[in-house]
Amino acid sequence: MRKLKFYMIGLIPGIIIMFFILNQKGVSCSGYLPNSRVITETLSKEWTYARPVDSVMETHHISKKFLKDTIFSDGGIDFGKSNPQRKPYPIYKLYYPTPDNAQYEVDFEKRKDTAYFYQLKVLKK
């Protein structure tokens, strides 16, 4: 019983100290989830766009910066509608809901050095 109290005296302050140290450094476990891995890997690649994507972006006044920094970075991959095992390049479908009840749907291939975006839809709810 005394050993348990002794361990608890060291364990609780240690956990609190580690929490503050790791929290200040911005450490997160979310980078290990499949959604985060696909998004992070894709953000590090050069992006290319099919003509239909360019025309949708122009029609709906969506900049490439907004697509990358907001829609893509904050969106979620639908693995049920994606094909991550497809050869030669996996295909992913990403959704991003907007505050005004619209939703963006982005289809892309994650290639070796590039991310190829071949479809962008703006869905109204």
Side-chain angles (χ1 to χ4, degrees):
M1 186 71 166
R2 287 184 180 245
K3 286 185 178 182
L4 181 62
K5 286 182 183 178
F6 179 73
Y7 288 126
M8 295 303 282
I9 290 172
L11 180 66
I12 293 172
I15 290 173
I16 292 170
I17 290 170
M18 290 303 295
F19 173 76
F20 285 110
I21 290 172
L22 293 177
N23 197 28
Q24 286 179 348
K25 293 185 178 202
V27 174
S28 169
C29 293
S30 65
Y32 294 108
L33 300 175
N35 188 68
S36 298
R37 278 198 314 249
V38 171
I39 290 174
T40 302
E41 288 172 11
T42 306
L43 285 170
S44 69
K45 297 178 182 298
E46 183 181 329
W47 287 24
T48 57
Y49 307 90
R51 284 192 180 162
V53 173
D54 283 331
S55 64
V56 170
M57 289 172 67
E58 187 176 316
T59 302
H60 292 282
H61 307 290
I62 301 169
S63 69
K64 290 180 180 181
K65 181 175 176 28
F66 181 74
L67 176 63
K68 192 170 194 174
D69 295 345
T70 303
I71 296 172
F72 198 80
S73 295
D74 297 336
I77 305 290
D78 184 343
F79 286 98
K81 295 183 179 178
S82 299
N83 189 353
Q85 304 301 321
R86 181 176 172 264
K87 301 291 182 196
Y89 308 114
I91 291 178
Y92 295 97
K93 186 175 289 283
L94 177 131
Y95 290 99
Y96 174 76
T98 65
D100 62 346
N101 289 332
Q103 187 172 31
Y104 294 102
E105 180 183 301
V106 182
D107 294 335
F108 66 97
E109 288 180 347
K110 192 175 73 166
R111 298 179 176 179
K112 184 176 179 178
D113 297 323
T114 62
Y116 177 67
F117 292 83
Y118 61 90
Q119 187 170 2
L120 172 63
K121 294 180 185 175
V122 180
L123 309 171
K124 301 290 182 185
K125 289 186 177 180

